[in-house]
Amino acid sequence: MCLAVPAEVISIEDQVATCRVGEGDTTVTASLMVLDEEIALGDFLIIHAGFAIRKLDPLEAKQTLQILRDVMAAAEEAGIKQDTVVI
């Protein structure tokens, strides 16, 4: 199963953004070719299959990341093992 999470744009080169996932050191790259709006450093994107599919409002991105952290913490508390990167 794939889960798209907000990622913050930290660099852009030739219509490809490098984005930080969460607050750690994990980065992903995403093509900006399918977006019809300008993307700048610091913007948050939803990325799927290597393509940025939507730009997010920064508050929405931060709230979504917090919800995902809360869900992962609750799963860990319940003894459910995760095989995902902590965001």
Side-chain angles (χ1 to χ4, degrees):
M1 177 173 95
C2 293
L3 176 64
V5 297
E8 182 180 5
V9 177
I10 58 173
S11 70
I12 301 171
E13 186 175 330
D14 296 328
Q15 286 293 303
V16 176
T18 299
C19 304
R20 179 181 17 258
V21 179
E23 296 170 351
D25 294 328
T26 303
T27 61
V28 296
T29 57
S31 171
L32 302 175
M33 293 173 57
V34 298
L35 294 179
D36 60 356
E37 58 190 311
E38 286 294 315
I39 302 299
L41 299 182
D43 285 344
F44 285 87
L45 305 172
I46 290 291
I47 300 166
H48 179 69
F51 290 89
I53 57 175
R54 186 165 76 93
K55 181 177 168 180
L56 292 174
D57 172 79
L59 179 59
E60 179 185 8
K62 290 176 183 179
Q63 289 173 336
T64 300
L65 287 168
Q66 186 58 53
I67 290 167
L68 290 170
R69 285 186 199 100
D70 292 347
V71 167
M72 290 175 72
E76 186 176 320
E77 224 175 81
I80 299 169
K81 295 191 184 285
Q82 301 294 314
D83 61 352
T84 57
V85 175
V86 176
I87 51 176

